[in-house]
Amino acid sequence: MKIKNICCIGAGYVGGPTMSVIAQQCPEITVTIVDINAERIAAWNAGDLSKLPVYEPGLDAVVAEARGRNLFFSTDVEAAIAAADMIFISVNTPTKTYGKGKGMAADLKYIELCARQIAAVATGDKIVVEKSTLPVRTAETLKSILHNTGNGVGFHILSNPEFLAEGTAIADLHKPDRVLIGGENPEAVQALVDVYAAWVPRERILTTNLWSSELSKLTANAFLAQRVSSINAISELCEKTGANVDEVARAIGTDSRIGPKFLKASVGFGGSCFQKDILNLVYIARSYGLHEVAHYWEQVIAMNDHQKRRFADNIVQAMYNTVSGKKIAFLGWAFKKDTNDTRESAAIYVADALLNEEANIVVYDPKVSAEQVYADLDYLGTRSPGENRKLVEVVTDPYDAADRAHAIAVLTEWDEFKAYDWHRIKDHMMKPAFVFDGRKLLGGNDLPSIGFQYYAIGE
Ligand code: UDX
Ligand code: UDX
């Protein structure tokens, strides 16, 4: 099997960059990314590459190279499915907000819709690849839908979870630690191996059975999130004991068995994956009656919620136990630097807690729009959209955010924050000027000597 034509359903943070890199690296394969969201597709086709719907360093160059050559963005889902030998499913799988498994299980309705659409349109054999993160044994569902269409078309199902991290997606895709492909049919697995082998060294392409592949993705995210919660748990202890969490992280990270990565204490992890995937793991464990396993992983989320709450509580406490009517400037709203993605960002929850204390918040983020900030707050449903717009302002200049503010809270570790003129910022703030650093970003700026009351996580 030699793949000539790929279709990807879902032009989001995963589908967009992943398929763009496949198209860039495999010029002989036609790659069409489809999405039901016409606005998103129009943005992917925009002449101005700064308008792409996903912000990722280096993505614009990859799209510029491949788009129109062998990379296409379209809303014609059926035509793209019909033409493809291999179809990636990269639609979103949010946590269910209704019914059984509400707040825990992954909502697979979009996956099922995709499978039904593929079954309806296909007239020849196809390889269907799960790219979205899914509960273990979702492939079974896909198989059942696809094989029961009765039109005599053969389908092979593969699991190929994506491990890229947002903000470094292009680098991660160009040089992945590993590519994981799970499947039952050796030819279908080999066909996908051959696609990646165009640029990924063969020893980094791992093949497993379907279920190991599906479970590995959830496990990887659970382990990564667990490291963040573990160091965050220690950060609280550091604040009480006079230890410094960065020093502790360095001291343990030099042990080669522990390793230095993913030990940065923070205001809490966010992003579309960690919480969702752990909830999913917990739900699956519980559904098999594995209550200790479920309880164990649940604590990773409990710790993360605690860290976000604690950060907000500390702000209130340090500011003489009231922030009512005070202006608090948020530097950063995205869930990490170098992305415009705000899903599950700690900033949303910290803002919500401070708004409950009647604070006024002014947000500055270099990549997040005002509409997105308001959409995130409205989605919580804590207060009306009108109130959110009254209490929260979003500005495009960080110095405007800080002007006459009682405090600054650093929620995202954008590099540019370190380069600001902190003398100028202090001069325009209310006194005492507080900085609450949720990312331990400004340690090198020596804010106390400028005259700030500086509080950082874990010290
Ligand atoms: C998604 C999932 O969230 C994640 O679990 C998985 O690992 C990869 O896919 P992401 O790309 O970040 O991640 O999601 P998102 O940016 O929301 O993109 C999904 C896209 O699919 C959206 O643009 C949506 O319009 C599209 N979609 C959804 C379809 O085209 N058809 C559908 O039926 C449903
Ligand atoms: C994650 C996984 O890393 C990736 O492999 C998977 O495909 C998707 O989920 P992503 O969510 O994009 O990627 O970003 P990641 O870099 O993992 O960060 C997740 C969250 O953890 C962010 O909010 C980040 O700020 C936080 N984090 C990360 C910390 O607080 N401390 C750290 O040391 C590392």
Side-chain angles (χ1 to χ4, degrees):
M1 274 186 238
K2 178 119 184 75
I3 302 303
K4 296 196 194 71
N5 197 311
I6 287 177
C7 158
C8 172
I9 309 177
Y13 284 90
V14 172
T18 311
M19 294 301 132
S20 296
V21 167
I22 290 183
Q24 179 200 33
Q25 301 293 333
C26 306
E28 70 293 351
I29 301 178
T30 299
V31 179
T32 308
I33 312 181
V34 294
D35 202 295
I36 49 175
N37 182 338
E39 214 179 307
R40 220 170 202 189
I41 290 298
W44 280 111
N45 281 320
D48 178 357
L49 288 167
S50 71
K51 299 254 157 37
L52 295 181
V54 169
Y55 171 71
E56 277 294 339
L59 175 63
D60 47 357
V62 175
V63 171
E65 186 181 334
R67 197 175 62 184
R69 179 188 73 186
N70 64 324
L71 174 65
F72 303 94
F73 296 91
S74 164
T75 50
D76 193 345
V77 181
E78 298 196 349
I81 292 174
D85 338 290
M86 181 177 268
I87 301 158
F88 286 80
I89 302 182
S90 187
V91 298
N92 41 331
T93 51
T95 304
K96 272 186 90 175
T97 54
Y98 56 89
K100 194 155 175 280
K102 178 180 170 180
M104 300 289 287
D107 192 340
L108 298 180
K109 71 177 170 204
Y110 301 127
I111 298 285
E112 179 169 342
L113 283 172
C114 287
R116 289 188 185 281
Q117 203 166 16
I118 294 169
V121 172
T123 53
D125 294 357
K126 313 263 180 213
I127 298 173
V128 176
V129 187
E130 301 174 342
K131 198 59 162 162
S132 305
T133 305
L134 298 166
V136 189
R137 301 204 78 86
T138 303
E140 202 79 78
T141 309
L142 280 179
K143 236 191 272 182
S144 170
I145 295 169
L146 291 170
H147 289 168
N148 285 305
T149 54
N151 59 0
V153 173
F155 292 102
H156 296 300
I157 296 162
L158 302 179
S159 159
N160 172 220
E162 186 47 62
F163 295 103
L164 68 80
E166 288 176 32
T168 53
I170 299 303
D172 294 344
L173 287 162
H174 280 156
K175 274 179 85 87
D177 285 349
R178 79 323 207 166
V179 166
L180 181 60
I181 301 172
E184 285 164 348
N185 179 283
E187 285 91 44
V189 170
Q190 190 57 44
L192 186 52
V193 169
D194 290 343
V195 171
Y196 283 106
W199 78 99
V200 179
R202 184 61 188 84
E203 66 277 8
R204 293 199 176 189
I205 305 176
L206 313 182
T207 57
T208 64
N209 76 29
L210 267 173
W211 326 120
S212 300
S213 171
E214 290 182 337
L215 185 58
S216 298
K217 170 68 193 210
L218 295 182
T219 307
N221 276 344
F223 270 58
L224 290 168
Q226 181 198 42
R227 272 175 82 95
V228 178
S229 276
S230 295
I231 199 70
N232 281 345
I234 298 302
S235 77
E236 188 171 13
L237 201 53
C238 287
E239 289 166 30
K240 300 288 178 220
T241 56
N244 180 316
V245 75
D246 277 349
E247 292 180 354
V248 174
R250 186 159 40 111
I252 65 166
T254 45
D255 183 325
S256 62
R257 295 167 302 176
I258 296 174
K261 292 180 184 169
F262 251 77
L263 287 177
K264 186 79 189 156
S266 69
V267 56
F269 61 75
S272 71
C273 283
F274 282 0
Q275 171 155 319
K276 181 188 73 172
D277 289 355
I278 293 176
L279 287 172
N280 207 338
L281 200 60
V282 168
Y283 183 74
I284 297 167
R286 205 157 272 150
S287 70
Y288 287 110
L290 308 180
H291 299 292
E292 287 77 10
V293 177
H295 183 69
Y296 176 76
W297 287 108
E298 226 162 22
Q299 293 315 304
V300 174
I301 293 178
M303 188 64 224
N304 197 49
D305 288 340
H306 171 68
Q307 189 77 349
K308 292 183 275 191
R309 212 169 31 238
R310 190 169 89 70
F311 185 71
D313 289 348
N314 281 347
I315 292 178
V316 177
Q317 202 186 11
M319 295 175 77
Y320 319 110
N321 286 315
T322 176
V323 290
S324 178
K326 291 180 183 168
K327 175 175 164 179
I328 302 179
F330 272 36
L331 291 184
W333 190 262
F335 81 98
K336 61 186 280 195
K337 73 172 178 177
D338 291 338
T339 179
N340 59 345
D341 193 350
T342 64
R343 287 176 289 181
E344 293 299 329
S345 180
I348 302 168
Y349 299 95
V350 173
D352 192 48
L354 294 174
L355 290 172
N356 284 341
E357 296 290 331
E358 301 183 341
N360 293 311
I361 295 177
V362 184
V363 179
Y364 167 76
D365 185 291
K367 288 290 172 195
V368 178
S369 68
E371 296 74 51
Q372 188 60 52
V373 172
Y374 292 128
D376 291 337
L377 289 169
D378 293 348
Y379 184 78
L380 292 179
T382 314
R383 56 194 75 70
S384 70
E387 277 176 289
N388 283 332
R389 279 149 193 80
K390 204 172 87 200
L391 296 170
V392 180
E393 192 189 347
V394 183
V395 296
T396 53
D397 181 327
Y399 296 96
D400 288 345
D403 191 36
R404 302 186 62 76
H406 294 78
I408 289 177
V410 179
L411 276 304
T412 312
E413 73 282 22
W414 287 101
D415 289 328
E416 65 170 64
F417 299 162
K418 290 184 279 190
Y420 290 170
D421 180 346
W422 285 95
H423 287 277
R424 176 180 158 200
I425 288 176
K426 199 209 83 191
D427 289 345
H428 289 90
M429 283 176 68
M430 307 298 282
K431 306 295 175 321
F434 290 93
V435 171
F436 299 94
D437 190 346
R439 296 290 182 166
K440 286 181 77 65
L441 182 73
L442 301 173
N445 292 65
D446 213 0
L447 298 186
S449 73
I450 297 175
F452 284 99
Q453 304 266 345
Y454 177 67
Y455 294 85
I457 291 272
E459 55 183 72

